[in-house]
């Protein structure tokens, strides 16, 4: 028995067979035991095999429609604030009061900034990306808390 085990251990090991997978110009997959393509990594080869870029995110249509509605609402509010002879506010107790000319000018400026934000070209995509980033940031766990 020990002689048989020794002979088995000393016998040359059979070479491991390799299988190569490659795709031809017609996008057919081939398998072979020899490397038949021998393709060199050239810039042309890499450009031909490049995966098309995917957009980072696609803004949902409902979100785009909501931003368009917000654009119209903020434009209407800014126009109404500009045309108003007086604006009123409420204090923490709920009592109404007339805004001073300076406060009224600040309210008009704020409404115009909001209108510009919601009505800018690509506003829906920008706002969606910002909200998505904020949600992702809120989910992230600090490194110290991962232990």
């Amino acid at each position: 028995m020990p002689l048989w085990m020794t002979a088995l251990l000393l016998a040359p090991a059979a070479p491991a067979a390799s299988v190569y997978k490659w795709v031809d110009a017609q996008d057919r997959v081939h398998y072979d035991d020899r490397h038949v393509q021998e393709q060199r990594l050239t810039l042309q080869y890499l450009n031909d095999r490049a995966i098309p870029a995917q957009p980072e995110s696609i803004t949902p249509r409902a979100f785009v429609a909501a931003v368009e509605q917000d654009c119209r609402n903020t434009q209407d509010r800014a126009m109404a604030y500009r045309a108003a002879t007086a604006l009123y506010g409420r204090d923490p107790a709920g009592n109404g009061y007339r805004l001073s000319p300076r406060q009224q000018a600040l309210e008009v400026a704020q409404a115009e900034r909001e209108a510009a934000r919601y009505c800018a070209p690509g506003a829906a995509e920008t706002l969606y990306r910002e909200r998505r980033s904020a949600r992702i940031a809120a989910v992230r766990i600090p490194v110290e808390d991962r232990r």
Side-chain angles (χ1 to χ4, degrees):
M1 182 78 162
L3 185 57
W4 177 75
M5 296 267 293
T6 305
L8 185 61
L9 289 174
L10 293 177
S18 297
V19 176
Y20 295 94
K21 175 183 173 182
W22 55 280
V23 180
D24 64 12
Q26 289 77 33
D27 289 331
R28 287 179 289 191
V29 177
H30 299 274
Y31 296 92
D32 203 336
D33 61 347
R34 291 182 294 149
H35 192 278
V36 294
Q37 199 158 20
E38 304 243 348
Q39 176 67 39
R40 299 193 106 190
L41 291 178
T42 62
L43 185 58
Q44 179 64 38
Y45 175 76
L46 294 174
N47 286 338
D48 289 345
R49 304 294 294 173
I51 298 172
Q54 296 292 321
E56 182 179 312
S57 68
I58 298 172
T59 308
R61 288 185 184 144
F63 190 85
V64 173
V67 170
E68 289 171 355
Q69 183 62 47
D70 289 342
C71 171
R72 289 188 292 275
N73 292 344
T74 56
Q75 284 178 330
D76 290 346
R77 186 172 39 160
M79 187 170 46
Y81 282 8
R82 281 191 301 271
T85 55
L87 291 178
Y88 294 87
R90 290 204 181 273
D91 64 14
N95 302 316
Y97 64 93
R98 185 177 178 161
L99 298 180
S100 70
R102 176 153 170 72
Q103 290 172 321
Q104 188 167 339
L106 290 172
E107 287 296 320
V108 169
Q110 175 66 27
E112 289 173 344
R113 277 194 303 274
E114 287 179 13
R117 178 171 166 82
Y118 283 101
C119 300
E125 291 77 15
T126 302
L127 291 167
Y128 185 73
R129 194 170 36 254
E130 287 174 6
R131 290 183 185 180
R132 189 167 171 228
S133 296
R135 275 189 308 222
I136 291 170
V139 172
R140 289 194 181 135
I141 302 170
V143 175
E144 305 84 48
D145 297 341
R146 290 183 188 171
R147 297 181 204 148

